[in-house]
Amino acid sequence: MSIAAVTGLTVASVVLGPVTVASAAPIVCEPGYKHATWSQVSKKWKVTHAKQINIPAGSTGTHSKSATYRSTATSGREVTAGASYSAAWVISSLDANVAGTLSKAGEKTKESNETVTVNFNKTGTYVIFSGTKKVSGNYKAKTCNSRGTGWTKTGYGKARSWIVPAEGGVKCTEKPKKGTIKRAAKDGYC
């Protein structure tokens, strides 16, 4: 009788063993959730339109001038390796890592001349400009698997967009602060 009782316990432990909570994989993320980490995120002024003009004596005051198209800022992403994530999702993720609102994926700045209105209070040579703050960075993206137990579909790449449009004028003899759009316009077009 004691042999039968021991045998019954052994069989019960074999049946119950595999379904214990300890053997289930832990939940680490929400199934389908996408996550990106960003590195080397930078924000730099880019002059998209500029023109050098001369204001002679007697011509000071407010003038509207045409700034010539120079370059384009675009919003999009490049895939370096691994899984491909949509440009819209990548730009949205980058947007969450910078102050302000980035332009949507696929958008670009104007590629025609722009009219800029500036008050020239002194004679001299100026650069009138229009531009924007360009934002770029490198991403590593991943997706949570369907069970929520780990990450899959890792992808790497670069993204770029822009924020904070600006326009104005800078006198070529000025010394604008480094890192400003006035400095970028002066360094590039005076």
Side-chain angles (χ1 to χ4, degrees):
M1 184 145 185
S2 63
I3 294 174
V6 171
T7 305
L9 284 176
T10 304
V11 172
S13 67
V14 170
V15 172
L16 296 177
V19 286
T20 60
V21 175
S23 66
I27 302 298
V28 296
C29 53
E30 184 179 337
Y33 177 75
K34 297 174 187 166
H35 175 74
T37 52
W38 290 89
S39 62
Q40 298 177 331
V41 175
S42 70
K43 294 186 276 187
K44 296 180 182 176
W45 285 105
K46 179 182 182 87
V47 176
T48 58
H49 300 75
K51 185 176 185 180
Q52 189 181 97
I53 59 171
N54 186 50
I55 301 297
S59 297
T60 57
T62 301
H63 297 279
S64 293
K65 300 287 185 180
S66 178
T68 306
Y69 163 72
R70 300 292 179 174
S71 64
T72 305
T74 59
S75 182
R77 64 93 176 88
E78 302 164 22
V79 178
T80 304
S84 177
Y85 286 82
S86 75
W89 181 82
V90 170
I91 297 301
S92 176
S93 175
L94 178 59
D95 184 274
N97 285 270
V98 297
T101 303
L102 294 176
S103 295
K104 294 177 185 176
E107 291 184 353
K108 61 183 180 180
T109 53
K110 291 180 184 177
E111 295 181 339
S112 56
N113 293 351
E114 287 192 359
T115 301
V116 177
T117 303
V118 178
N119 182 13
F120 301 100
N121 55 12
K122 294 180 181 176
T123 60
T125 302
Y126 289 80
V127 170
I128 55 166
F129 60 83
S130 179
T132 190
K133 187 166 275 190
K134 189 171 81 168
V135 178
S136 62
N138 298 326
Y139 69 88
K140 176 184 177 183
K142 58 187 179 179
T143 302
C144 184
N145 67 28
S146 61
R147 296 176 309 281
T149 57
W151 298 93
T152 60
K153 296 183 181 177
T154 302
Y156 304 85
K158 296 179 181 180
R160 65 197 173 278
S161 189
W162 76 90
I163 189 173
V164 192
E167 64 178 28
V170 59
K171 193 171 184 183
C172 287
T173 55
E174 278 184 62
K175 294 180 181 176
K177 187 177 176 183
K178 189 176 181 180
T180 63
I181 192 163
K182 280 188 167 189
R183 179 68 173 265
K186 181 187 173 181
D187 290 350
Y189 300 100
C190 277

